[in-house]
Amino acid sequence: MKLYQTYDSPFPTRVRLLLYAKGIDAEIIQPPGFHDSSESKGEYLRLNPIGRVPTLVLDDGRALPESEVICEYLEDTYPEPPLRPADPWDRARMRLLSRICDFYVVMAMNTFFNLAGRSRRHWEPEAIAAAAAKLAEAVAHLEPYIGEEGYAVGRGLTQADGAIVPQLILASEWIPELFGVADPLRSLPKVSAYWRAIQRNPIAARLAAETRDAIAEQQAAARARAAARRGAG
Ligand SMILES: N[C@@H](CCC(=O)N[C@@H](CS)C(=O)NCC(=O)O)C(=O)O
């Protein structure tokens, strides 16, 4: 089995939680040049015509896109240890928290993703302030539903932790540091407590470290490209 993915992306990170927690042996492949341009995706589009990461490729060559669908497939195929709570209400909360990340938090970060790829000349303070307000509103949707026992739901890791951890690194660390905006967790006591607690779990900590390292690498590459452009100009 192979997982095509990149370490700085939240959606594949959610799938890696299942690989690590269930001890699934999958080769991890980073499609070269994936984030550079649509042309650089090249052969990858044959595996996943949607053109996004992750994609899970089975040993017989069948390829599955979309992180949530991959997680559900892995859960069904490798049920132990379960990362989907048995109780229907808890299971619904797991799906709800993941969905809030997929539909609201990521959408609210789009302005920042776009600006990060552009020169700071284009960073309009009004646009950044409006995006920060939208992000704070989106992250706040987690507050009423987040677990209070150190995990997103219940007393152990679930798929929801895989959805939330990488997104909180982006929303609460990367964006405030890069754009100088307030950390949206400041006014969210339950999400803040969760964030402190979940990073004590070794698998969540591993995902967090991988995400931070990949973001630092991306930023160093972006700085090098900007310096090269200044040098050429
Ligand atoms: N709904 C998809 C979203 C996947 C997605 O948007 N992945 C991003 C990276 S986090 C991507 O591949 N973007 C295209 C690109 O960077 O070129 C999923 O859950 O897998």
Side-chain angles (χ1 to χ4, degrees), residues 186-219:
R186 267 194 219 156
S187 51
L188 303 175
K190 283 172 62 189
V191 182
S192 295
Y194 162 78
W195 188 221
R196 284 191 296 276
I198 194 64
Q199 293 182 76
R200 291 197 282 274
N201 175 278
I203 291 173
R206 176 176 175 187
L207 295 175
E210 288 172 346
T211 304
R212 287 185 185 113
D213 288 351
I215 290 173
E217 225 172 86
Q218 278 269 334
Q219 281 180 320

Short mmCIF file of all heavy atoms in Angstrom, two decimals, residues 186-219:
data_model
loop_
_atom_site.label_atom_id
_atom_site.label_comp_id
_atom_site.label_asym_id
_atom_site.label_seq_id
_atom_site.Cartn_x
_atom_site.Cartn_y
_atom_site.Cartn_z
N ARG A 186 -7.06 32.06 21.71
CA ARG A 186 -7.02 32.84 22.95
C ARG A 186 -8.37 32.97 23.64
O ARG A 186 -8.46 32.99 24.86
CB ARG A 186 -6.51 34.26 22.63
CG ARG A 186 -5.03 34.37 22.82
CD ARG A 186 -4.65 35.82 22.84
NE ARG A 186 -3.40 35.99 22.14
CZ ARG A 186 -3.01 37.11 21.58
NH1 ARG A 186 -3.77 38.19 21.62
NH2 ARG A 186 -1.86 37.19 21.00
N SER A 187 -9.42 33.08 22.84
CA SER A 187 -10.75 33.28 23.45
C SER A 187 -11.54 31.97 23.51
O SER A 187 -12.76 32.01 23.68
CB SER A 187 -11.51 34.33 22.64
OG SER A 187 -11.48 33.96 21.27
N LEU A 188 -10.83 30.85 23.37
CA LEU A 188 -11.54 29.56 23.34
C LEU A 188 -10.96 28.63 24.41
O LEU A 188 -10.03 27.86 24.14
CB LEU A 188 -11.41 28.91 21.96
CG LEU A 188 -11.89 29.74 20.77
CD1 LEU A 188 -11.58 29.05 19.44
CD2 LEU A 188 -13.38 30.02 20.87
N PRO A 189 -11.48 28.69 25.64
CA PRO A 189 -10.85 27.91 26.72
C PRO A 189 -10.86 26.40 26.50
O PRO A 189 -9.88 25.72 26.80
CB PRO A 189 -11.67 28.29 27.97
CG PRO A 189 -12.88 29.01 27.47
CD PRO A 189 -12.57 29.54 26.10
N LYS A 190 -11.93 25.86 25.95
CA LYS A 190 -11.99 24.40 25.78
C LYS A 190 -11.04 23.93 24.68
O LYS A 190 -10.34 22.93 24.82
CB LYS A 190 -13.43 23.95 25.48
CG LYS A 190 -14.32 23.93 26.72
CD LYS A 190 -15.77 23.69 26.38
CE LYS A 190 -15.97 22.32 25.72
NZ LYS A 190 -17.36 22.19 25.20
N VAL A 191 -11.03 24.67 23.56
CA VAL A 191 -10.12 24.26 22.47
C VAL A 191 -8.67 24.45 22.93
O VAL A 191 -7.81 23.62 22.62
CB VAL A 191 -10.40 25.05 21.16
CG1 VAL A 191 -9.48 24.57 20.04
CG2 VAL A 191 -11.85 24.90 20.72
N SER A 192 -8.40 25.50 23.69
CA SER A 192 -7.03 25.72 24.20
C SER A 192 -6.59 24.58 25.11
O SER A 192 -5.45 24.08 25.01
CB SER A 192 -6.93 27.03 24.99
OG SER A 192 -7.17 28.10 24.14
N ALA A 193 -7.49 24.17 26.00
CA ALA A 193 -7.15 23.07 26.92
C ALA A 193 -6.92 21.79 26.12
O ALA A 193 -5.98 21.02 26.38
CB ALA A 193 -8.26 22.88 27.95
N TYR A 194 -7.77 21.57 25.15
CA TYR A 194 -7.60 20.39 24.27
C TYR A 194 -6.24 20.44 23.59
O TYR A 194 -5.52 19.44 23.54
CB TYR A 194 -8.72 20.37 23.22
CG TYR A 194 -8.39 19.48 22.04
CD1 TYR A 194 -8.52 18.10 22.13
CD2 TYR A 194 -7.91 20.03 20.83
CE1 TYR A 194 -8.18 17.28 21.05
CE2 TYR A 194 -7.58 19.22 19.76
CZ TYR A 194 -7.71 17.85 19.88
OH TYR A 194 -7.36 17.04 18.82
N TRP A 195 -5.89 21.61 23.06
CA TRP A 195 -4.66 21.76 22.28
C TRP A 195 -3.43 21.45 23.14
O TRP A 195 -2.49 20.79 22.70
CB TRP A 195 -4.61 23.17 21.70
CG TRP A 195 -3.52 23.47 20.73
CD1 TRP A 195 -2.78 24.61 20.67
CD2 TRP A 195 -3.06 22.65 19.64
NE1 TRP A 195 -1.89 24.54 19.63
CE2 TRP A 195 -2.04 23.35 18.99
CE3 TRP A 195 -3.40 21.38 19.18
CZ2 TRP A 195 -1.35 22.83 17.89
CZ3 TRP A 195 -2.72 20.85 18.08
CH2 TRP A 195 -1.72 21.58 17.46
N ARG A 196 -3.46 21.90 24.40
CA ARG A 196 -2.33 21.60 25.30
C ARG A 196 -2.27 20.09 25.58
O ARG A 196 -1.22 19.48 25.55
CB ARG A 196 -2.49 22.37 26.62
CG ARG A 196 -2.13 23.85 26.52
CD ARG A 196 -2.06 24.49 27.90
NE ARG A 196 -3.34 24.48 28.60
CZ ARG A 196 -4.30 25.41 28.43
NH1 ARG A 196 -4.10 26.41 27.61
NH2 ARG A 196 -5.44 25.33 29.10
N ALA A 197 -3.46 19.50 25.83
CA ALA A 197 -3.50 18.10 26.24
C ALA A 197 -3.15 17.16 25.09
O ALA A 197 -2.39 16.19 25.27
CB ALA A 197 -4.89 17.76 26.78
N ILE A 198 -3.69 17.41 23.91
CA ILE A 198 -3.54 16.44 22.82
C ILE A 198 -2.07 16.29 22.42
O ILE A 198 -1.64 15.23 21.96
CB ILE A 198 -4.44 16.79 21.60
CG1 ILE A 198 -4.54 15.61 20.64
CG2 ILE A 198 -3.95 18.03 20.85
CD1 ILE A 198 -5.19 14.39 21.17
N GLN A 199 -1.29 17.37 22.61
CA GLN A 199 0.11 17.30 22.19
C GLN A 199 0.95 16.42 23.13
O GLN A 199 2.11 16.15 22.86
CB GLN A 199 0.69 18.70 22.06
CG GLN A 199 0.04 19.44 20.90
CD GLN A 199 0.60 20.82 20.71
OE1 GLN A 199 1.70 20.98 20.18
NE2 GLN A 199 -0.13 21.82 21.17
N ARG A 200 0.33 15.96 24.22
CA ARG A 200 1.03 15.01 25.10
C ARG A 200 0.85 13.58 24.59
O ARG A 200 1.53 12.66 25.05
CB ARG A 200 0.51 15.14 26.54
CG ARG A 200 0.92 16.47 27.19
CD ARG A 200 0.77 16.42 28.70
NE ARG A 200 -0.61 16.58 29.11
CZ ARG A 200 -1.20 17.76 29.31
NH1 ARG A 200 -0.53 18.88 29.15
NH2 ARG A 200 -2.46 17.82 29.70
N ASN A 201 -0.07 13.38 23.67
CA ASN A 201 -0.23 12.05 23.08
C ASN A 201 0.88 11.84 22.05
O ASN A 201 1.08 12.69 21.17
CB ASN A 201 -1.60 11.93 22.39
CG ASN A 201 -1.76 10.61 21.67
OD1 ASN A 201 -1.28 10.44 20.55
ND2 ASN A 201 -2.39 9.67 22.32
N PRO A 202 1.63 10.73 22.13
CA PRO A 202 2.80 10.58 21.25
C PRO A 202 2.47 10.61 19.76
O PRO A 202 3.24 11.14 18.97
CB PRO A 202 3.37 9.22 21.64
CG PRO A 202 2.71 8.83 22.92
CD PRO A 202 1.48 9.65 23.09
N ILE A 203 1.33 10.06 19.38
CA ILE A 203 1.00 10.05 17.94
C ILE A 203 0.61 11.45 17.48
O ILE A 203 1.07 11.92 16.43
CB ILE A 203 -0.09 9.00 17.63
CG1 ILE A 203 0.52 7.61 17.83
CG2 ILE A 203 -0.63 9.16 16.22
CD1 ILE A 203 -0.44 6.48 17.74
N ALA A 204 -0.19 12.13 18.28
CA ALA A 204 -0.55 13.52 17.93
C ALA A 204 0.70 14.39 17.91
O ALA A 204 0.87 15.25 17.03
CB ALA A 204 -1.58 14.06 18.92
N ALA A 205 1.60 14.15 18.88
CA ALA A 205 2.85 14.94 18.94
C ALA A 205 3.70 14.68 17.70
O ALA A 205 4.32 15.60 17.15
CB ALA A 205 3.62 14.59 20.21
N ARG A 206 3.71 13.44 17.25
CA ARG A 206 4.48 13.12 16.03
C ARG A 206 3.90 13.85 14.82
O ARG A 206 4.64 14.44 14.01
CB ARG A 206 4.46 11.60 15.81
CG ARG A 206 5.15 11.19 14.54
CD ARG A 206 5.18 9.67 14.41
NE ARG A 206 5.74 9.29 13.13
CZ ARG A 206 5.78 8.05 12.67
NH1 ARG A 206 5.30 7.07 13.41
NH2 ARG A 206 6.30 7.78 11.50
N LEU A 207 2.56 13.83 14.69
CA LEU A 207 1.93 14.53 13.57
C LEU A 207 2.22 16.03 13.65
O LEU A 207 2.49 16.68 12.63
CB LEU A 207 0.41 14.32 13.58
CG LEU A 207 -0.09 12.89 13.36
CD1 LEU A 207 -1.59 12.84 13.53
CD2 LEU A 207 0.31 12.37 11.98
N ALA A 208 2.16 16.57 14.87
CA ALA A 208 2.41 18.01 15.04
C ALA A 208 3.85 18.35 14.64
O ALA A 208 4.10 19.32 13.93
CB ALA A 208 2.14 18.42 16.50
N ALA A 209 4.80 17.51 15.08
CA ALA A 209 6.21 17.78 14.76
C ALA A 209 6.44 17.68 13.26
O ALA A 209 7.14 18.52 12.67
CB ALA A 209 7.10 16.79 15.51
N GLU A 210 5.84 16.68 12.63
CA GLU A 210 6.03 16.54 11.17
C GLU A 210 5.46 17.75 10.43
O GLU A 210 6.06 18.24 9.47
CB GLU A 210 5.33 15.26 10.68
CG GLU A 210 6.05 14.00 11.10
CD GLU A 210 5.27 12.72 10.79
OE1 GLU A 210 4.05 12.79 10.50
OE2 GLU A 210 5.87 11.64 10.87
N THR A 211 4.31 18.22 10.90
CA THR A 211 3.68 19.38 10.23
C THR A 211 4.56 20.62 10.43
O THR A 211 4.82 21.36 9.48
CB THR A 211 2.26 19.62 10.81
OG1 THR A 211 1.50 18.42 10.65
CG2 THR A 211 1.56 20.75 10.08
N ARG A 212 5.02 20.84 11.67
CA ARG A 212 5.85 22.04 11.94
C ARG A 212 7.13 21.99 11.11
O ARG A 212 7.54 22.99 10.52
CB ARG A 212 6.21 22.11 13.43
CG ARG A 212 5.05 22.52 14.29
CD ARG A 212 5.49 22.71 15.75
NE ARG A 212 4.34 22.98 16.58
CZ ARG A 212 3.85 22.16 17.52
NH1 ARG A 212 4.45 21.01 17.78
NH2 ARG A 212 2.79 22.49 18.20
N ASP A 213 7.76 20.83 11.05
CA ASP A 213 9.02 20.71 10.28
C ASP A 213 8.78 21.01 8.80
O ASP A 213 9.56 21.70 8.16
CB ASP A 213 9.61 19.30 10.41
CG ASP A 213 10.19 19.05 11.79
OD1 ASP A 213 10.28 20.02 12.58
OD2 ASP A 213 10.53 17.89 12.09
N ALA A 214 7.67 20.46 8.27
CA ALA A 214 7.39 20.65 6.84
C ALA A 214 7.08 22.12 6.54
O ALA A 214 7.50 22.66 5.52
CB ALA A 214 6.23 19.76 6.41
N ILE A 215 6.36 22.77 7.46
CA ILE A 215 6.04 24.19 7.24
C ILE A 215 7.34 25.01 7.30
O ILE A 215 7.55 25.91 6.47
CB ILE A 215 5.03 24.69 8.30
CG1 ILE A 215 3.66 24.06 8.04
CG2 ILE A 215 4.92 26.21 8.28
CD1 ILE A 215 2.64 24.34 9.12
N ALA A 216 8.21 24.70 8.24
CA ALA A 216 9.48 25.44 8.36
C ALA A 216 10.29 25.27 7.07
O ALA A 216 10.89 26.23 6.56
CB ALA A 216 10.27 24.96 9.57
N GLU A 217 10.28 24.06 6.53
CA GLU A 217 11.01 23.79 5.27
C GLU A 217 10.43 24.61 4.11
O GLU A 217 11.15 25.23 3.35
CB GLU A 217 10.86 22.31 4.94
CG GLU A 217 12.14 21.63 4.52
CD GLU A 217 11.91 20.13 4.41
OE1 GLU A 217 11.47 19.69 3.35
OE2 GLU A 217 12.14 19.43 5.43
N GLN A 218 9.09 24.63 4.05
CA GLN A 218 8.39 25.40 2.99
C GLN A 218 8.74 26.88 3.09
O GLN A 218 8.97 27.55 2.11
CB GLN A 218 6.87 25.29 3.20
CG GLN A 218 6.26 24.05 2.67
CD GLN A 218 5.79 24.25 1.24
OE1 GLN A 218 5.50 25.37 0.84
NE2 GLN A 218 5.76 23.19 0.47
N GLN A 219 8.75 27.38 4.35
CA GLN A 219 9.02 28.81 4.54
C GLN A 219 10.45 29.16 4.16
O GLN A 219 10.70 30.19 3.55
CB GLN A 219 8.72 29.23 5.97
CG GLN A 219 7.23 29.42 6.14
CD GLN A 219 6.86 29.82 7.55
OE1 GLN A 219 7.44 29.31 8.51
NE2 GLN A 219 5.92 30.72 7.69
#
